[in-house]
């Protein structure tokens, strides 16, 4: 039996200080080099142990490792998607006009971009404890009739959005480590500011692309 | 605040009615909740737990985080009382998770402040008496308990707490983790709690949470824990 894939930390597509003043360089550095790296390290360890348990037919150990794999793999997936769906505020990609098809669908769904942002903000601020908020494209529905439907979803801890027919378009990290050094308990200000650094071009590509496309970058960075 | 009476009265003050304040609450002059929870005072200064926990953390944690749980709990209590008055079952059920979260946040933090103390007020001094015996019987030693407790704290995925609890059915003690602000209620009695939310340590320890879990034992108030433990 071959050994499991070893995952490694993907490079940020911009500098640590590129999201200033909305997300501080110190936060980005710790978040990427420490938090994200720890998920990857723990994931690799759990997968290694899991591989041994597979080899020896130790089913109890295999099952007991599932929560650790889900949590750490989720942390790796979520952060990888998050870095990609952010960009410097002065980039043209930070304008929602970089996502014409997506914004059209957003307007059709929520009435206006402002109403969408308000609903998304409320969802983010309603998270109890650690978690994420995502804009999701759903590809399931009766007879495919609802294909391409958009929804706002919150997830707890590091639960990843990998279910059948759900495609993450963009996500916002609501763990305290994502904002605390800069905003402390003022998470509403963090959420308000995050809109300045959303990468709408990436969001458009995920909205129009296949699920495989969304996770492609994760695979290529093995 | 070192007696059981005072300790429980802090919680009661927070959780029960205080009539004069209630008159301001309510909608269109109707008051549904007779009293309001209030932020309890700390029995030590914000800087008193340094270097284990910084004064900045204590101040934000108490004045901002804890106070937000108190305010939100009062707000949702009022709403649920109103829903009850109207016999609106759906609204009452919808409010339950908010009561659990914010009420839990209030209870957990109140107990937490009390089971911490500066080193010059007994912080870090090992437990004695029946609780010390229960710890030795169950874990072999206080150090062994701390090690298992820290493993439990490190294993919290996301936000939550670890507690030394007492099983009210058997009297035995055990370590349990709780997600988010789920309070220790029902079968288990809270003896000692450590906050594993990132806001409890991040300004000082950032991602090095193991260092916080190690340092916090220097300011654990075992006297408070002893008083919660029932023989």
């Amino acid at each position: 039996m071959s050994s499991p894939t070893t995952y490694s930390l993907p490079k940020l597509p911009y500098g640590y200080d590129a999201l200033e003043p909305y997300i501080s360089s110190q936060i980005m550095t710790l978040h990427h080099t420490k938090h994200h790296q720890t998920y990857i390290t723990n994931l690799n360890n759990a997968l290694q142990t899991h591989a041994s348990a597979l080899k020896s037919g130790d089913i109890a150990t295999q099952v007991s490792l599932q929560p650790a794999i889900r949590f750490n793999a989720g942390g790796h997936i979520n952060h990888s998607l998050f870095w990609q769906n952010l960009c410097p505020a002065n980039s043209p990609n930070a304008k929602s006009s970089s996502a014409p098809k997506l914004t059209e669908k957003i307007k059709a769904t929520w009435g206006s971009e402002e109403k969408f942002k308000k609903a998304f903000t409320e969802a983010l601020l309603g998270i109890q404890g650690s978690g994420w908020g995502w804009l999701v494209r759903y590809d399931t529905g009766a007879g495919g009739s609802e294909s391409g439907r958009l929804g706002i979803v919150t997830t707890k801890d590091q639960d990843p959005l990998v279910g059948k027919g759900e495609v993450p378009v963009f996500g916002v990290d609501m763990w305290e480590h994502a904002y605390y050094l800069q905003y402390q308990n003022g998470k509403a200000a963090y959420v308000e500011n995050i809109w300045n650094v959303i990468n709408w071009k990436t969001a458009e590509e995920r909205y129009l692309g296949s699920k495989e496309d969304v996770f492609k970058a994760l695979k290529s960075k093995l | 605040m070192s007696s059981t009476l005072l300790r429980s009265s802090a919680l009661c003050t927070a959780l029960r009615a205080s009539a004069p304040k209630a008159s301001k609450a309510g909608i269109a002059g109707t008051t549904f909740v007779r009293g309001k929870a209030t932020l309890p005072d700390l029995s030590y200064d914000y800087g008193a737990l340094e270097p284990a926990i910084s004064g900045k953390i204590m101040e934000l944690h108490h004045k901002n985080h804890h106070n937000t749980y108190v305010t939100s709990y009062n707000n949702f209590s009022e709403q649920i009382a109103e829903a009850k008055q109207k016999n609106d079952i759906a609204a009452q059920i919808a409010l339950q998770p908010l009561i659990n979260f914010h009420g839990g946040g209030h209870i957990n933090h109140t107990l937490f402040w009390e089971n911490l103390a500066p080193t010059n007020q007994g912080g870090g001094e090992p437990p004695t008496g029946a609780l010390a015996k229960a710890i030795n019987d169950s874990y072999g030693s206080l150090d062994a308990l701390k090690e298992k407790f820290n493993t439990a704290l490190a294993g919290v995925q996301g936000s939550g707490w670890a507690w030394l609890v007492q099983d009210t059915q058997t009297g035995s003690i055990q370590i349990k983790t709780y997600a988010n602000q789920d309070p220790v209620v029902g079968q288990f009695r809270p003896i000692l709690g450590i906050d594993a939310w990132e806001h409890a340590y991040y300004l000082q320890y950032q991602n090095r949470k193991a260092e916080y879990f190690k340092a916090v034992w220097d300011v654990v108030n075992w006297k408070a824990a002893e008083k919660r433990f029932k023989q």
Side-chain angles (χ1 to χ4, degrees):
Chain A
M1 193 168 292
S2 60
S3 57
T5 302
T6 303
Y7 295 90
S8 58
L9 187 66
K11 281 205 171 67
L12 280 191
Y14 38 76
Y16 287 118
D17 60 357
L19 306 184
E20 297 256 13
Y22 306 111
I23 305 178
S24 75
S25 178
Q26 190 194 10
I27 287 179
M28 289 301 292
T29 306
L30 279 164
H31 203 170
H32 182 251
T33 66
K34 305 287 178 185
H35 291 279
H36 190 171
Q37 179 62 57
T38 301
Y39 291 116
I40 293 168
T41 304
N42 292 339
L43 171 63
N44 288 332
N45 289 341
L47 290 176
Q48 195 69 50
T49 314
H50 187 262
S52 308
L54 266 181
K55 207 170 179 180
S56 63
D58 181 350
I59 199 167
T61 300
Q62 290 170 42
V63 175
S64 76
L65 284 163
Q66 294 301 329
I69 292 173
R70 181 181 178 83
F71 181 69
N72 292 295
H76 177 40
I77 292 171
N78 290 335
H79 286 93
S80 297
L81 294 175
F82 182 51
W83 309 135
Q84 293 165 358
N85 70 222
L86 299 178
C87 69
N90 61 8
S91 159
N93 298 344
K95 291 189 168 55
S96 64
S97 53
S98 299
K101 294 283 184 204
L102 176 61
T103 46
E104 191 184 308
K105 185 70 177 178
I106 283 173
K107 282 176 196 158
T109 307
W110 282 277
S112 72
E113 267 182 65
E114 285 316 304
K115 284 182 183 161
F116 159 70
K117 284 183 182 176
K118 191 166 174 281
F120 199 96
T121 299
E122 272 174 27
L124 291 174
L125 295 179
I127 292 172
Q128 297 181 342
S130 302
W132 292 74
W134 294 92
L135 176 63
V136 181
R137 187 189 88 208
Y138 292 99
D139 289 343
T140 50
S145 59
E146 289 188 48
S147 197
R149 180 172 65 88
L150 290 177
I152 295 166
V153 170
T154 59
T155 54
K156 71 173 175 60
D157 304 328
Q158 294 297 356
D159 285 352
L161 278 169
V162 289
K164 192 162 178 268
E166 53 187 26
V167 178
V169 175
F170 67 80
V172 175
D173 191 347
M174 288 306 288
W175 279 59
E176 289 178 317
H177 67 233
Y179 60 84
Y180 206 81
L181 292 179
Q182 191 177 355
Y183 296 94
Q184 289 90 48
N185 64 304
K187 63 179 174 181
Y190 161 68
V191 170
E192 195 185 326
N193 281 345
I194 199 91
W195 292 109
N196 293 300
V197 290
I198 293 292
N199 188 333
W200 287 92
K201 184 162 177 276
T202 296
E204 179 84 344
E205 285 164 7
R206 289 182 189 158
Y207 172 63
L208 297 175
S210 70
K211 184 166 182 161
E212 287 68 32
D213 291 335
V214 172
F215 293 100
K216 196 168 57 189
L218 263 158
K219 272 197 159 173
S220 68
K221 297 236 173 58
L222 295 183
Chain B
M1 190 168 298
S2 59
S3 82
T4 303
L5 260 177
L6 274 174
R7 201 182 326 284
S8 50
S9 78
L11 254 186
C12 291
T13 308
L15 298 170
R16 278 196 201 137
S18 65
K21 281 186 183 168
S23 60
K24 286 183 190 166
I27 289 160
T30 315
T31 296
F32 300 104
V33 177
R34 294 181 53 82
K36 295 207 163 205
T38 53
L39 184 67
D41 287 335
L42 291 189
S43 62
Y44 40 82
D45 293 336
Y46 289 132
L49 304 184
E50 294 198 358
I53 305 176
S54 76
K56 179 89 189 286
I57 287 180
M58 287 302 294
E59 184 172 358
L60 276 164
H61 203 170
H62 180 253
K63 256 190 358 204
N64 295 65
H65 291 280
H66 189 170
N67 198 49
T68 300
Y69 292 116
V70 171
T71 309
S72 303
Y73 169 75
N74 285 332
N75 176 25
F76 294 120
S77 290
E78 181 69 25
Q79 289 182 31
I80 209 167
E82 191 186 334
K84 206 170 280 176
Q85 194 83 2
K86 290 180 181 163
N87 258 335
D88 185 342
I89 296 172
Q92 289 176 58
I93 294 170
L95 285 160
Q96 293 291 348
L98 293 157
I99 296 285
N100 181 71
F101 183 69
H102 296 284
H106 177 40
I107 290 174
N108 289 336
H109 285 94
T110 302
L111 293 169
F112 182 52
W113 310 136
E114 289 169 2
N115 68 218
L116 297 178
T119 48
N120 64 6
Q121 290 175 38
E125 276 173 31
T128 55
L131 179 58
K133 186 176 180 307
I135 289 170
N136 285 333
D137 289 349
S138 298
Y139 294 95
S141 70
L142 181 60
D143 281 343
L145 164 80
K146 287 180 186 175
E147 199 187 315
K148 291 210 165 56
F149 204 108
N150 284 358
T151 303
L153 282 164
V156 172
Q157 296 184 338
S159 302
W161 293 72
W163 288 89
L164 182 66
V165 300
Q166 185 175 22
D167 189 327
T168 58
Q169 294 171 359
T170 66
S172 66
I173 54 169
Q174 66 184 88
I175 298 161
K176 278 175 71 75
T177 60
Y178 289 76
N180 301 324
Q181 295 297 358
D182 287 352
V184 183
V185 290
Q187 186 185 343
F188 298 99
R189 175 183 298 131
I191 304 297
L192 170 75
I194 302 294
D195 191 346
W197 278 61
E198 288 176 322
H199 68 232
Y201 61 83
Y202 207 80
L203 290 181
Q204 188 176 358
Y205 296 94
Q206 291 90 45
N207 63 302
R208 305 179 315 279
K209 60 180 176 180
E211 290 178 25
Y212 158 67
F213 299 147
K214 192 162 172 277
V216 78
W217 296 103
D218 294 341
V219 290
V220 161
N221 181 358
W222 283 104
K223 283 278 163 285
E226 283 170 25
K227 277 161 186 150
R228 291 175 189 159
F229 181 74
K230 299 266 189 301
Q231 289 184 64

